[in-house]
Amino acid sequence: MTANGGPRTVRLTVAQALVRFLAAQHTERDGERQRLIGATWGIFGHGNVAGIGQALVEYGATMPFHQGRNEQAMVHAAVGYARQSRRLSTHAVTTSIGPGATNLVTGAALATVNRLPVLLLPGDTFATRPADPVLQQLEVPYAGDVSVNDCLRPVSRYFDRITRPEALIPAALAAMRVLTDPAETGAVTLALPQDVQAEAYDWPREFLAERTWTVRRPAPDPRELTEAVRQLRAARRPLIVAGGGVRHSAAEEALRALADATGIPVASTQAGKGALPHDHPADVGGIGHTGTATADALARTADLVLGAGTRWSDFSTASGTLFADPDVRFVNVNIAGFDAHKLAGSTVIADARTALEALTRDLADHRVTPAYEAEYTDAKSAWEARVSAAYAAPDPD
């Protein structure tokens, strides 16, 4: 019995417990709390209709449901929601066994590549194997425990197959940990055998209780910050490249403050587009293969590049050819050490907003030369004139 005299457990199926658990998960950052799993997308067939499907009907008041028409599209929609939610909230996606599950792979890869959270709940073959094989089951001669869901392992940041009811408790908590970790997030897969989904179990009420996951804002190490400031002060032609991490961290105002204080020009990756308003004097547009002439010209002559929340993809670096100065150096502000160490850069492993605010504070008396500032603002004006002329040109006959 609990302290108030009620039972310590509640009897539910695995699917019911999972839906109730997901509906009770929240994130909190900067004092703002919101649901972690805002809704569930689904296409039903054998493997998920009698388990997750029934649970979603029963708990429709607490877990909104969106009917999909294509599994890959459902993942893309969930990832788009996560991006717009600054990774503080996402959606779950449930599918049937077989092609329904394999259709998740491309969307899962996109989520993991772009460090965006999404929860995948594909149905799986019977754990108890009363029928073997089942429709669309992948039969592997050398292994009896492999299903098509194993295709999701290399594109998931966390993967587990729930073969017993009690295994859901640690797996679900681990899944939430990864989804809410800004350095580790991506696609998370919980493969759910169709018989286990419908199996009843006595669940601890603590597992089903409201839970809030704090999204961290780690501050930069003082030594890394000091080194970054030293390099920025010594640079003659610095350039900031703003990536998606600026948006995820809600660091737009911190980026603007740094640009205002120092006059350093700011280019953006595709994921970082809009991190600094296009009409800000320091904004020089996109970078790399799809960048502006102004930004790419600055990149070719930059002697120091401050990457803020970017994973330095081939598009952003023009396949490694863009930053042409042989003495160019990189300072990478990123919450993930894996990304911060790219391009042999000096690292500032920290939350983007926290790090940019610290840089602004320590560079309060520093500004680029008037000549450099005039150079890139003139180049920006010339580029905008070229773009306007191109849009105004008459269509060819």
Side-chain angles (χ1 to χ4, degrees):
M1 304 290 285
T2 61
N4 61 8
R8 291 182 180 276
T9 61
V10 57
R11 193 160 185 83
L12 300 167
T13 68
V14 169
Q16 290 170 331
L18 177 57
V19 172
R20 281 186 55 172
F21 170 85
L22 295 178
Q25 305 305 302
H26 299 80
T27 61
E28 184 174 359
R29 187 176 71 181
D30 303 331
E32 296 184 7
R33 185 172 181 264
Q34 59 188 291
R35 283 184 59 150
L36 172 55
I37 307 298
T40 297
W41 290 83
I43 296 176
F44 296 107
H46 74 292
N48 70 337
V49 67
I52 290 290
Q54 177 179 331
L56 287 169
V57 170
E58 292 172 335
Y59 297 111
T62 56
M63 176 57 71
F65 174 73
H66 301 314
Q67 177 67 59
R69 293 293 182 268
N70 174 271
E71 291 85 0
Q72 183 183 146
M74 292 193 298
V75 185
H76 290 325
V79 169
Y81 174 84
R83 185 190 295 274
Q84 290 302 110
S85 301
R86 299 185 188 270
R87 304 194 301 191
L88 299 175
S89 182
T90 187
H91 288 166
V93 178
T94 180
T95 69
S96 62
I97 293 169
T102 56
N103 283 349
L104 298 173
V105 175
T106 297
L110 177 139
T112 295
V113 164
N114 289 285
R115 322 296 196 252
L116 294 166
V118 64
L119 177 61
L120 308 180
L121 304 173
D124 211 323
T125 54
F126 291 104
T128 52
R129 305 184 189 177
D132 188 30
V134 297
L135 179 66
Q136 298 173 331
Q137 177 177 338
L138 176 68
E139 295 184 84
V140 180
Y142 61 82
D145 61 346
V146 173
S147 77
V148 296
N149 288 330
D150 289 277
C151 295
L152 289 160
R153 287 182 183 270
V155 293
S156 297
R157 295 294 285 175
Y158 180 83
F159 179 99
D160 204 351
R161 180 177 281 113
I162 312 303
T163 57
R164 292 180 59 86
E166 60 267 36
L168 178 65
I169 296 174
L173 292 170
M176 300 304 105
R177 173 188 61 80
V178 175
L179 287 173
T180 58
D181 188 328
E184 293 294 326
T185 195
V188 168
T189 300
L190 296 180
L192 302 170
Q194 55 185 314
D195 51 347
V196 177
Q197 287 181 45
E199 189 172 343
Y201 183 74
D202 293 320
W203 300 92
R205 288 191 177 275
E206 182 181 356
F207 175 65
L208 305 173
E210 295 275 323
R211 183 176 277 103
T212 300
W213 301 80
T214 300
V215 179
R216 307 182 304 279
R217 284 197 182 277
D221 179 89
R223 291 167 296 181
E224 291 187 336
L225 180 63
T226 297
E227 176 59 19
V229 170
R230 184 193 69 77
Q231 293 193 47
L232 283 164
R233 287 182 178 277
R236 297 174 294 100
R237 300 181 62 82
L239 174 67
I240 297 172
V241 176
V246 175
R247 305 298 303 274
H248 303 328
S249 177
E252 292 92 341
E253 288 304 314
L255 177 64
R256 179 200 287 264
L258 179 60
D260 287 340
T262 63
I264 301 175
V266 178
S268 61
T269 68
Q270 290 181 336
K273 185 178 180 181
L276 193 66
H278 71 93
D279 56 354
H280 189 281
D283 179 75
V284 293
I287 193 83
H289 282 311
T290 54
T292 68
T294 304
D296 288 351
L298 289 170
R300 294 186 189 98
T301 59
D303 59 349
L304 181 74
V305 181
L306 175 65
T310 174
R311 61 186 178 87
W312 289 124
S313 73
D314 58 340
F315 265 49
S316 301
T317 66
S319 298
T321 66
L322 182 59
F323 302 100
D325 188 321
D327 296 321
V328 65
R329 295 293 180 266
F330 294 84
V331 173
N332 295 324
V333 173
N334 206 294
I335 201 164
F338 175 78
D339 291 318
H341 281 277
K342 290 179 178 177
L343 300 177
S346 297
T347 63
V348 180
I349 300 174
D351 169 70
R353 193 176 84 180
T354 304
L356 292 175
E357 288 173 345
L359 287 172
T360 301
R361 181 193 65 233
D362 290 356
L363 292 167
D365 60 345
H366 176 75
R367 192 171 184 85
V368 300
T369 64
Y372 184 49
E373 200 164 355
E375 176 190 335
Y376 74 72
T377 53
D378 290 347
K380 175 182 178 178
S381 296
W383 169 254
E384 290 175 345
R386 288 174 59 189
V387 171
S388 297
Y391 274 105
D395 293 332
D397 294 332

